[in-house]
Amino acid sequence: MQYNPGWNNSSVNLLHVRAAGPADTLHYVWSSIGAPAALLVATASGSSVLRVNWTQLLSPAPAGAIWIDPPSSVVYSAAVVFTKVFEYSEAEPLEELFYPTYDLSDFAWESVNRTLNHTALTAEFAGVPATDPSGSFSNGSVAFRVTAYEAGGRDRRLPSLLHTANSSKVEFVLAGVAPRGNGSRFALEVATVEERGVVQELRSARSIDDEYTPTIFEMLSLVAESRNDSSALSFLQWKATAYGSRSPRREDSIQCRSRGLQAANWTLPVSSIVRAYFGESVGSTYTVSAINISFGGEEGKVYQEKRYLSWSALLGFGQPPKDTFSPLVISIVAAALGTPMAMLLVGSCVVLFAQRKRYSEYEPIN
């Protein structure tokens, strides 16, 4: 993990996470220059490196300021941009009242250097609006917590996402922000940038096994696939839940919904690292999609009470991890289905055996 490689000033944030293999390298570039974003680049070289022209990156025209050396080693690149936070409430049944949007590209972000942990491979981007006329952020902030992984495993904290060494986690946290209405709910807009020839698909998988995330039976994945061979190139994966506590428990669960994937016909919000890598014409040259992820129960009062919301997602290359039935659930299902079957089988054997031994004391007439 490198913070602002080649730049000594901590007034801006760029975090480079590099995972090197024998013949390939995965690059994650996280930044809060403009809207918070993550740049994903996979290369076919075990020695590829990130290059940053800082003077150009911080200029009004950042195109070309970020590249991978050697450029010919790049086999896939994409970006995820966290663009806006919406706040809304129900004015009347089936009618939603939206408050002025929080545009994350207009936020002031603290230095990531103070939260960077090279041992745990974690960092936190925390920020507040540059102007806050409503005073909602006087005691609050928005944060994106990033975690990189060296091996496969499962998070101990809910929602206990299963991860691989090819993935990283991002946790969206809304803490202490005063809601502007009774029963306010929040939604996070997430935009993706993909090369031509790559399609995005939103998948939903349901399972009866909720051992690791109690009461949550749905997993959602936004998967980028190649049109040529339908192979998965990257993914954004999350459980259909958020939590209203710093130490999440089952009872702190907040309902999480995804409001459809759609083509982003509007101009991609300002994100310097996306434009620095893909160019100024990113909105027309590449495929830009967006999805809204909303948080809040039917009455939207969970955040009102605790003023804390966290939502975790996994970001990575290749196929998203798939949960399998745990040994505990397999044992329970086997016992639940096996016991009645065993009793039925034993009962049938007893009846057949009893019928064969039946006899009578009377002699037949003929």
Side-chain angles (χ1 to χ4, degrees):
M1 299 180 75
Q2 297 174 294
Y3 175 68
N4 288 354
W7 186 255
N8 295 324
N9 195 325
S10 61
S11 61
V12 294
N13 293 316
L14 187 146
L15 179 65
H16 177 217
V17 181
R18 181 176 179 269
D24 57 2
T25 306
L26 304 179
H27 297 269
Y28 292 89
V29 184
W30 301 86
S31 177
S32 59
I33 304 174
L39 176 65
L40 289 76
V41 184
T43 72
S45 168
S47 58
S48 62
V49 294
L50 175 74
R51 303 295 188 191
V52 182
N53 182 329
W54 281 96
T55 303
Q56 188 176 353
L57 177 61
L58 301 178
S59 72
I66 295 178
W67 71 98
I68 299 295
D69 194 17
S72 59
S73 66
V74 176
V75 294
Y76 172 72
S77 56
V80 175
V81 188
F82 303 98
T83 53
K84 299 173 183 176
V85 174
F86 300 102
E87 182 181 352
Y88 62 98
S89 60
E90 284 191 357
E92 296 178 5
L94 303 179
E95 182 180 343
E96 295 174 341
L97 171 65
F98 280 82
Y99 299 96
T101 303
Y102 294 121
D103 191 334
L104 296 177
S105 64
D106 294 332
F107 273 45
W109 300 92
E110 298 177 2
S111 173
V112 170
N113 198 34
R114 66 178 184 82
T115 63
L116 190 57
N117 188 324
H118 288 276
T119 303
L121 300 178
T122 58
E124 179 178 311
F125 296 80
V128 296
T131 58
D132 184 23
S134 65
S136 297
F137 279 81
S138 57
N139 295 310
S141 66
V142 164
F144 292 91
R145 295 173 181 166
V146 176
T147 303
Y149 299 109
E150 293 182 311
R154 186 183 297 277
D155 279 354
R156 294 182 179 180
R157 284 167 51 91
L158 291 175
S160 304
L161 293 173
L162 179 67
H163 61 261
T164 68
N166 294 344
S167 60
S168 295
K169 185 181 77 170
V170 58
E171 183 182 0
F172 166 67
V173 178
L174 193 67
V177 179
R180 290 172 285 183
N182 294 327
S184 282
R185 307 178 195 182
F186 294 89
L188 175 66
E189 182 183 71
V190 183
T192 61
V193 180
E194 293 288 348
E195 301 169 344
R196 296 293 183 184
V198 177
V199 294
Q200 291 272 9
E201 181 185 2
L202 181 62
R203 301 175 182 174
S204 173
R206 295 181 178 273
S207 171
I208 63 171
D209 186 354
D210 70 335
E211 177 186 357
Y212 300 108
T213 312
T215 73
I216 307 301
F217 301 95
E218 184 180 16
M219 174 79 82
L220 294 115
S221 301
L222 187 58
V223 183
E225 292 183 337
S226 171
R227 290 183 187 272
N228 298 330
D229 53 10
S230 298
S231 60
L233 301 172
S234 66
F235 62 87
L236 182 71
Q237 184 184 60
W238 65 96
K239 288 270 192 169
T241 184
Y243 292 94
S245 171
R246 297 179 187 275
S247 301
R249 299 167 297 173
R250 179 179 60 83
E251 53 267 32
D252 299 318
S253 177
I254 297 175
Q255 190 177 38
C256 173
R257 292 178 177 174
S258 302
R259 300 196 173 189
L261 177 68
Q262 57 183 328
N265 297 323
W266 58 89
T267 304
L268 185 71
V270 176
S271 177
S272 290
I273 67 164
V274 172
R275 297 188 184 280
Y277 184 83
F278 291 104
E280 291 293 344
S281 59
V282 58
S284 57
T285 308
Y286 296 85
T287 302
V288 181
S289 305
I291 187 172
N292 288 343
I293 300 167
S294 62
F295 316 100
E298 294 299 325
E299 299 179 354
K301 293 184 178 180
V302 178
Y303 181 82
Q304 190 84 20
E305 295 172 357
K306 300 185 178 181
R307 296 200 178 182
Y308 188 89
L309 184 152
S310 70
W311 170 78
S312 299
L314 206 63
L315 185 66
F317 295 88
Q319 285 281 1
K322 290 185 178 180
D323 263 319
T324 56
F325 285 106
S326 65
L328 174 62
V329 172
I330 293 175
S331 301
I332 294 173
V333 172
L337 298 179
T339 302
M341 292 297 294
M343 293 178 65
L344 181 62
L345 183 61
V346 171
S348 301
C349 292
V350 170
V351 170
L352 290 174
F353 184 74
Q355 286 180 342
R356 286 190 175 187
K357 294 192 65 175
R358 190 186 315 171
Y359 63 92
S360 173
E361 295 179 355
Y362 297 95
E363 293 292 332
I365 297 175
N366 296 321

